Amino acid sequence: MKTLRIILGDQLSDTISALDAIDKTQDTILMMEVIDEAQYVKHHPKKIIFILSAMRHFAEQLKCKDYRVEYIKLESIRSRGGFTETLAYFLEKRHFDKIIVTEPGEYRVLKMIQSWEKQTGIPIEIKDDNRFFISRKYFETWAAGKKQLLMENFYRQMRKKTGLLMNNNKPAGGQWNYDKENRKTAQASANFPTPKQFKPDTITEQIIRLVKKRFADHFGDPEPFWFAVTTADAKKAFKHFIQHALPYFGDYQDAMLSDQNFLYHSVISHYLNAGLLDAREVCKAVEEGYRKGKVPLNAAEGFIRQILGWREYIRSIYWLKMPEYAKSNFFDAKRPLPNAYWGANTDMNCIRQVVKQTQEQAYSHHIQRLMITGNFAMLLGVSPQALHEWYLAVYADAYEWVEMPNTIGMAIFADGGVVGTKPYAASGAYINKMSDFCSNCHYKVNQKTGEQACPFNYLYWSFLYKHRNLLCNNRRLLFAYKNLSRFSDEKLSTILQDTKKFIKKTYP
Ligand code: FAD
Ligand code: DLZ
Ligand code: SF4
């Protein structure tokens, strides 16, 4: 039996289920570089360089381990646009009895793969993605009959299931969650560690040249390119994080500082999502740091929660709710993305800082994505689908399974409360508390209305006012709506006027 085993660009792990029980003498591994995957949204050049270089390195490693690998490069005549066309062309000259592939990370690719059996006449087996702690089926069972799919409940179940940070069936330290200790603000003067950086080798340099030539119109800087592109280097980067940043991760998880891109974050999401790092190994290493007394519990728990809790939960929601989820638009928001998201000049320092960093690094940390670009888009009424395309394009770690529920659900509440229990709407006061952005801004964060007022301030109240019918019964917003009800007619009218002027200025 000759089997074709297909590995996609974000499945670069040699223990991936598509390779289970592989017969090195009979089977062939196929990897395809295709233009459609770089262009279905215009991915950031750093993201394309990362994936293509990691794919080529991975193929070389497989060949060194005596696997038969067919690798189709983007420049090759054999690369025919999309996965389906490229596979069909490849199969014109080859015969296989079966095709095996691990389930992909995007619904549109799953649909493609499901069409292959009919198109090629070869039976296809789609295997569970074994890189996650749970299968889609496991979550479906957990979710069945539940009214609200609360992440915190799911996370506790995952701690019990895996035994991570558990002592005799009880959470280490007596509490499940130490988030209250994780809201410190960072000082610009602190000595922040930088993530481990790697010099591009010959393969990466070739790809940088290719990407600069073929994707010159994509938003983002291709260089300097410093990401790891192999598992060995990604492991070094993670070890560096454990030693230098993890002990402070919890405390400063929500902090933001100008010109500080990474603070104490791990910057490993693109490695995890592409298969260079393994989520189980990562969580185990962090637990070990805690058990050996090198990492405080709030940091270890906070970090493990992100991966064991949020990452698994978000993926499960995606597969549970697709394809309808993609069309969610609870607030019926229709505005296009402001040009500032593509680097156009803006007077708002927070937006300018986060977009600049995104352009340079294809990275921003969670609170920047959630409370700056996400919060602003929600208050402004940007279409969820326009915003989703932006996040999917500009971050090196973005694939639909993880990006979409974070954007549509967590950041802008367009799913009406599947992921979150309330919209993460915030005025300038929150941004001022958690960052140093406001001290260098054209706008005045303490001013609520008028030309110089921070736009987040009046946008926040007009958002709550506009959507009062949808939100006023939300228990977590009762306090805010009580405040709003005390506004005089004059105050409310000024807020709505300022909002109108700002929107006119944003969309001239
Ligand atoms: P750290 O802060 O060091 O956290 C450690 C790890 O936890 C991350 O590497 C990641 O694997 C995981 N994690 C943390 N939060 C989440 C979360 N909410 N969902 C899933 N995993 C999480 N993450 C992506 O991996 N890809 C995306 O496309 C993506 N899009 C996002 C869009 C929006 C609007 C928001 C609000 C969040 C998004 N996230 C996404 C989640 C989070 O912002 C990133 O995982 C994180 O910023 C990556 O940086 P880091 O590796 O330094 O993470
Ligand atoms: C993102 C991406 C890019 C830019 N290029 C490729 C590619 O040429 N070949 C490939 O197999 N995968 C690529 N990817 C990752 C895919 O988009 C990803 O595997 C699917 O979106 C499923 O998650
Ligand atoms: Fe952003 Fe407002 Fe602060 Fe300016 S004042 S940085 S717009 S929050």
Side-chain angles (χ1 to χ4, degrees), residues 6-12 30-41 43-44 47-49 51-52 55 71-72 74 79 81 83 103-110 113 131 215 273 319 392 396 398-401:
I6 297 177
I7 304 273
L8 302 176
D10 55 351
Q11 299 179 338
L12 308 179
L30 174 65
M31 297 179 71
M32 301 173 269
E33 291 181 6
V34 290
I35 190 95
D36 284 6
E37 290 304 304
Q39 288 183 333
Y40 72 99
V41 294
H43 291 300
H44 193 297
K47 179 180 185 180
I48 306 177
I49 296 167
I51 291 172
L52 298 190
M55 281 177 74
Y71 192 94
I72 299 177
L74 200 59
S79 182
F83 288 134
E103 59 190 342
E106 302 198 346
Y107 185 84
R108 77 186 164 87
V109 183
L110 179 65
I113 295 173
R131 292 173 297 169
F215 307 105
N273 298 349
W319 286 112
L392 187 59
Y399 306 90
E400 255 192 33
W401 66 266

Side-chain angles (χ1 to χ4, degrees), residues 331-402:
F331 297 119
D332 196 23
K334 294 198 174 98
R335 293 207 163 89
L337 203 65
N339 291 335
Y341 282 62
W342 300 114
N345 195 27
T346 168
D347 287 334
M348 298 170 77
N349 190 36
C350 51
I351 295 286
R352 190 167 56 231
Q353 289 283 335
V354 176
V355 171
K356 175 173 167 273
Q357 167 179 339
T358 302
Q359 177 164 359
E360 288 170 358
Q361 304 289 356
Y363 174 87
S364 66
H365 73 65
H366 187 67
I367 294 301
Q368 295 171 316
R369 298 187 206 195
L370 183 68
M371 300 310 294
I372 305 293
T373 41
N375 181 24
F376 184 51
M378 176 171 67
L379 298 184
L380 209 53
V382 171
S383 140
Q385 288 68 37
L387 187 69
H388 146 66
E389 280 200 12
W390 183 77
Y391 279 107
L392 187 59
V394 301
Y395 290 113
D397 59 13
Y399 306 90
E400 255 192 33
W401 66 266
V402 56

Side-chain angles (χ1 to χ4, degrees), residues 141-192:
T141 310
W142 178 82
K146 289 193 172 62
K147 254 189 171 171
Q148 179 92 46
L149 304 176
L150 283 178
M151 199 303 282
E152 186 61 28
N153 295 344
F154 168 76
Y155 167 58
R156 291 179 189 189
Q157 166 76 14
M158 293 298 287
R159 291 271 295 278
K160 289 182 204 156
K161 181 175 159 45
T162 58
L164 278 165
L165 292 182
M166 297 293 286
N167 296 333
N168 301 322
N169 291 327
K170 297 244 161 55
Q175 282 180 59
W176 291 103
N177 183 317
Y178 293 86
D179 222 13
K180 284 209 177 78
E181 295 173 28
N182 292 353
R183 287 174 193 146
K184 291 193 185 140
T185 51
Q187 293 302 317
S189 56
N191 225 346
F192 297 104

Side-chain angles (χ1 to χ4, degrees), residues 52-85:
L52 298 190
S53 178
M55 281 177 74
R56 290 189 188 190
H57 281 89
F58 185 69
E60 288 309 312
Q61 285 155 15
L62 289 175
K63 284 180 196 164
C64 287
K65 291 180 191 161
D66 294 329
Y67 290 101
R68 288 185 193 194
V69 182
E70 284 281 353
Y71 192 94
I72 299 177
K73 289 188 174 173
L74 200 59
E75 311 91 300
S76 158
I77 180 116
R78 297 198 298 163
S79 182
R80 311 296 291 178
F83 288 134
T84 303
E85 301 78 4

Side-chain angles (χ1 to χ4, degrees), residues 76 88 106 133 138 155 165 180 223 259 265 280 292 443 454-455 460 469 492 502:
S76 158
E106 302 198 346
F133 285 90
Y138 180 94
Y155 167 58
L165 292 182
K180 284 209 177 78
E223 291 176 297
D259 302 320
H265 289 271
R280 288 182 191 86
K292 285 186 173 162
Y443 295 109
C454 165
Y460 172 78
N469 291 339
L492 185 60
F502 181 78

Side-chain angles (χ1 to χ4, degrees), residues 348-350 428 431 437-438 441 443-445 454-456:
M348 298 170 77
N349 190 36
C350 51
I431 297 169
F437 296 152
C438 303
C441 187
Y443 295 109
K444 305 279 169 269
V445 71
C454 165
F456 278 99

